[in-house]
Amino acid sequence: MSKMFELAKEQYAGIGVDVEKAMELLANAPLSIHCWQGDDVLGFEGGETLTGGIQATGNYPGRARNIAELRSDMEKVLSYVPGAKKVNLHANYLDSSKPVARDELEPKHFETWVEWANALGIGLDFNTTFFSSPLSEKGSLTNPDEGLRAFWIRHAKCVRDIAEYFGRSTGKTCVTNHWIHDGEKEVPIDTVGPRMRLIDSLNQIFAEKKNLEYTRDALESKLFGIGSESYVPGSNEFYWAYVVQHPELLITMDAGHFHPTELISSKISTVLCFAEKMLLHVSRPVRWDSDHVVLLDDETRQIMREVVRADALERVYIALDYFDASINRVIAWTVGARNARKALLAALLEPVATLKKLEAEGDRSSRLALQQELLTMPMGAVWDEFCERQGVPVGTKWLEDAKKYEREVTIKR
Ligand code: RNT
Ligand code: ZN
């Protein structure tokens, strides 16, 4: 144990914070690390373009081109990020030598992922993949063509079966996120029709009840995308209403899916008043849903504070969602994941009971003063100790290793 940590621990104890307890909670709170930062969201169906209103910009060398490369890169990232982890897969990351239609996906196409996850002792999360397909150019679950809409309903059903298999065979609940890119560049005349079709699609997809121990389904809303600037049927109020009517489903809130001045941190407590659980996509929008690497910025910190202050660590699934192709992808991945963890640590190092007491007593001046003092408390020493105990590199050591991996592996691709 470092001297710095000992001193930090004492200083936190002085304001009523149990550092050991905070580190224990941090170690056990799973962080779902998305697979798609490693290959610019392309997946392994052989496609070379990303469509559906999202974009990975940049062409830094070293993109993972196959499953072996992606797993190798992810193993690096996992080794740099302390605490419990899950890996979040998309349905287009199947392992198959032959092409498989998205409505014909089966657990067997993801068997090697389960073996990989089990060898690492981590859980898997999952996602339907509606984007990057010629069959969803005019939409997926809202598609006016009944044949195509039925195709995408079948896709979602396949994904739910695979998710259940993930949960059963890893022993860890698989959280499955559903996001559709459907929407319009201009406001259509009929704004109700697509939404009614979406309701019908969801009703069909979720008609079969799954074992909630193995899998939970979540619906991700969005305000707009590239090419769907004016109208998105799967808006926040749409899914929120649907989820409230179907309490076994969860709402997903992505930090980049609202108006630029709207913050998901301010919405968490409302969701928690009405829903058992929820899913977060921790991301960073810069002027639009740009999916920049997560920083240790005010909003990321506020998101984690809201979760911790509401005592909701067990109720909020925390997943990452960003993709930057303009810098070293392993480093981008790691920076965002470590930042999400650091933000959670900062939240766990708050004297929440004291702050709530001050608030209840009406002492808003002390509440403000204490919060501001907290900002310069020695969290870094606790973070380093946490990394040390979790067996991941301390400080910038991981960066040296990541640069070495770049020189020896990714740059040669
Ligand atoms: C898109 C959504 C969605 C995707 C991933 C790849 O705006 O945020 O979560 O980023 O599914
Ligand atoms: Zn998202």
Side-chain angles (χ1 to χ4, degrees), residues 36 127 177 179 220-221 252-257 280-283 289 291 320-323:
W36 52 90
N127 294 262
N177 182 58
W179 169 70
E220 182 178 20
S221 72
T252 304
M253 288 195 168
D254 181 300
H257 287 198
L280 293 179
H281 268 191
V282 180
S283 188
D289 180 32
D291 296 286
L320 301 172
D321 184 13
Y322 51 83
F323 29 98

Side-chain angles (χ1 to χ4, degrees), residues 101-391:
R102 295 222 188 134
D103 67 339
E104 283 172 10
L105 290 170
E106 289 179 51
K108 68 173 186 207
H109 302 119
F110 291 87
E111 234 168 63
T112 61
W113 279 113
V114 167
E115 286 162 13
W116 179 75
N118 282 342
L120 292 169
I122 58 173
L124 291 172
D125 290 325
F126 208 29
N127 294 262
T128 32
T129 308
F130 296 104
F131 54 83
S132 298
S133 163
L135 301 181
S136 63
E137 267 163 22
K138 297 213 165 70
S140 58
L141 300 180
T142 75
N143 201 308
D145 180 314
E146 284 301 305
L148 289 176
R149 189 164 71 87
F151 174 90
W152 291 112
I153 292 169
R154 288 197 300 277
H155 167 65
K157 288 183 178 177
C158 296
V159 162
R160 292 188 77 220
D161 291 342
I162 297 164
E164 193 171 49
Y165 156 72
F166 281 173
R168 195 170 356 104
S169 39
T170 61
K172 296 181 176 79
T173 312
C174 171
V175 181
T176 307
N177 182 58
H178 305 274
W179 169 70
I180 59 167
H181 56 281
D182 303 36
E184 299 257 356
K185 190 180 176 88
E186 304 291 351
V187 179
I189 307 306
D190 180 12
T191 53
V192 177
R195 292 194 163 122
M196 293 309 287
R197 288 195 290 278
L198 182 50
I199 290 175
D200 179 70
S201 298
L202 297 176
N203 289 346
Q204 291 189 49
I205 291 166
F206 299 113
E208 190 190 324
K209 300 298 163 211
K210 297 284 186 195
N211 183 333
L212 299 184
E213 282 294 306
Y214 295 148
T215 177
R216 295 299 306 243
D217 290 283
L219 303 176
E220 182 178 20
S221 72
K222 189 159 172 168
L223 175 71
F224 79 98
I226 299 170
S228 60
E229 290 84 356
S230 302
Y231 172 72
V232 169
S235 61
N236 180 47
E237 39 284 277
F238 177 90
Y239 283 130
W240 180 229
Y242 193 83
V243 162
V244 170
Q245 286 184 336
H246 301 81
E248 75 281 7
L249 299 175
L250 315 176
I251 191 80
T252 304
M253 288 195 168
D254 181 300
H257 287 198
F258 293 83
H259 273 285
T261 57
E262 251 183 302
L263 300 170
I264 62 166
S265 58
S266 70
K267 300 173 190 296
I268 294 170
S269 54
T270 299
V271 174
L272 293 176
C273 289
F274 296 97
E276 180 209 349
K277 294 188 171 194
M278 70 182 299
L279 170 61
L280 293 179
H281 268 191
V282 180
S283 188
R284 179 166 55 104
V286 177
R287 308 199 193 284
W288 67 291
D289 180 32
S290 57
D291 296 286
H292 275 59
V293 174
V294 167
L295 299 183
L296 185 59
D297 57 11
D298 287 346
E299 172 59 358
T300 309
R301 294 182 63 149
Q302 191 63 17
I303 288 170
M304 301 305 176
R305 283 188 191 119
E306 282 292 314
V307 175
V308 171
R309 290 174 182 175
D311 196 17
L313 263 182
E314 308 262 316
R315 296 171 62 198
V316 181
Y317 294 112
I318 303 173
L320 301 172
D321 184 13
Y322 51 83
F323 29 98
D324 190 337
S326 75
I327 55 175
N328 176 306
R329 291 170 185 78
V330 168
I331 296 176
W333 229 333
T334 307
V335 168
R338 283 175 65 106
N339 279 337
R341 271 269 179 258
K342 283 183 193 166
L344 187 53
L345 174 63
L348 289 164
L349 290 174
E350 283 194 343
V352 177
T354 307
L355 289 164
K356 283 187 177 167
K357 188 164 172 279
L358 290 171
E359 186 164 274
E361 288 165 355
D363 188 354
R364 290 179 161 70
S365 28
S366 301
R367 184 186 65 182
L368 180 68
L370 183 51
Q371 280 178 282
Q372 293 304 298
E373 287 303 324
L374 280 173
L375 296 175
T376 47
M377 293 276 289
M379 181 187 89
V382 181
W383 171 252
D384 287 349
E385 174 72 15
F386 182 68
C387 288
E388 179 98 52
R389 289 192 197 177
Q390 291 287 316

